[in-house]
Amino acid sequence: MANIDLHFHSRTSDGALTPTEVIDRAAARAPSLLALTDHDCTGGLAEAAAAAARHGIPFLNGVEISATWGRHTVHIVGLGIDPDEPALAVGLKSIRDGRLERARLMGASLEAAGIAGCFEGAMRWCDNPEMISRTHFARHLVDSGAVKDMRTVFRKYLTPGKPGYVAHEWASLADAVGWIVGAGGMAAIAHPGRYDMGKTLIERLILDFQAAGGQGIEVACGSHSLDDMHKFALHADRHGLYASSGSDFHAPGEGGRDVGHTEDLPPICKPIWRELEARVLRPAG
Ligand code: AMP
Ligand code: MN
Ligand code: MN
Ligand code: MN
């Protein structure tokens, strides 16, 4: 196990723990580097960085940006960003601004399918209304007893063609990558194994991503099997991309990998964090 984790979430977006709690939990694995990557917002970074410093753990400011590429939603992780850089801050705000209206439409869609009160129910799980997400709806659907677990929620609801799914236009791929690079960070395609794309489409995504200035891809990742990891290590090698590693942890008990560690990258990989040394926030002393 590598003790590096460059992709996880706090309550600032759709995680269940505060930035301090998630760093405290990650610290139990004695990681050598962490990055918090909340969806479309950077509001948890200062608290997370302070918590990491208390544990003596090096930290990178991160974000996971929702992007639309063709008819696909893809997520782009940004590492080593300056969260105060204006174009990034304004861009992320523009994404957040679309979430509340989308959530109302999701609530209406679920109501039409016979499950009332989901918008209000989801909002009770969400600290920050502009960050309302499918995860908050899923937690409400499980907690209210309508669906037995998170996996089943996304299988039966909230995904294309199912009740509660509302198509949405996120940032363009070029904007998402441009904001990250403009804020001094490096961009990585998040969890490529989760996209419904064959080899040809993945290669086209990589080429468009690189044309926009993207240089990384997640190889070791909470939602990748070992086969996925080796497959994307080969994609990274073929295209000269740096490899990233992250758990994509959201909440205790919601499945997936726990926070603070990832699989070791296959030896052919070039780890992205070696390129980010200058962006690492190190504990004083
Ligand atoms: P949103 O940004 O509102 O579309 O919500 C996307 C979030 O839903 C992702 O970041 C995941 O946290 C969660 N999610 C999506 N698909 C699944 C799934 N199959 N199982 C569990 N969580 C999922
Ligand atoms: Mn999420
Ligand atoms: Mn994601
Ligand atoms: Mn994520």
Side-chain angles (χ1 to χ4, degrees), residues 14-99:
D14 64 349
L17 305 181
T18 66
T20 300
E21 287 166 350
V22 77
I23 296 292
D24 286 352
R25 188 176 177 99
R29 313 262 174 185
S32 57
L33 182 62
L34 294 174
L36 176 69
T37 56
D38 274 310
H39 299 285
D40 308 327
C41 64
T42 58
L45 291 174
E47 183 185 323
R54 279 197 298 280
H55 287 284
I57 301 169
F59 182 81
L60 282 168
N61 283 323
V63 67
E64 181 178 14
I65 303 184
S66 311
T68 298
W69 181 71
R71 62 175 184 84
H72 297 270
T73 295
V74 295
H75 286 176
I76 305 298
V77 161
L79 298 170
I81 52 163
D82 169 4
D84 297 324
E85 199 286 317
L88 173 68
V90 170
L92 295 179
K93 173 79 176 129
S94 76
I95 303 179
R96 295 196 299 273
D97 281 345
R99 282 187 172 270

Side-chain angles (χ1 to χ4, degrees), residues 14 39 66 75 99 102 133-135 154 170 194 250:
D14 64 349
H39 299 285
S66 311
H75 286 176
R99 282 187 172 270
R102 168 188 184 243
S133 82
R134 284 188 287 161
T135 311
F154 284 95
W170 303 103
R194 273 193 29 197
H250 283 72

Side-chain angles (χ1 to χ4, degrees), residues 118-140:
C118 289
F119 174 76
E120 295 75 14
M123 288 300 272
R124 282 196 287 276
W125 288 89
C126 178
D127 285 359
N128 177 6
E130 64 175 11
M131 273 317 301
I132 182 75
S133 82
R134 284 188 287 161
T135 311
H136 302 109
F137 278 80
R139 291 196 182 119
H140 165 69

Side-chain angles (χ1 to χ4, degrees), residues 126-232:
C126 178
D127 285 359
N128 177 6
E130 64 175 11
M131 273 317 301
I132 182 75
S133 82
R134 284 188 287 161
T135 311
H136 302 109
F137 278 80
R139 291 196 182 119
H140 165 69
L141 284 163
V142 173
D143 181 68
S144 65
V147 184
K148 71 171 178 326
D149 57 32
M150 297 285 279
R151 231 178 109 92
T152 312
V153 174
F154 284 95
R155 193 160 52 76
K156 291 191 167 172
Y157 303 95
L158 310 183
T159 42
K162 307 288 168 65
Y165 184 75
V166 173
H168 192 74
E169 187 80 18
W170 303 103
S172 71
L173 179 67
D175 278 347
V177 174
W179 297 333
I180 290 165
V181 174
M186 289 176 79
I189 298 173
H191 43 64
R194 273 193 29 197
Y195 305 135
D196 181 22
M197 295 182 201
K199 186 165 183 247
T200 311
L201 210 51
I202 282 284
E203 301 248 317
R204 276 183 29 209
L205 172 64
I206 290 172
L207 294 178
D208 281 1
F209 170 77
Q210 289 183 305
Q215 299 188 82
I217 190 166
E218 286 185 345
V219 171
C221 138
S223 45
H224 279 179
S225 65
L226 283 179
D227 275 357
D228 289 332
M229 181 168 84
H230 287 102
K231 179 166 95 182
F232 289 105

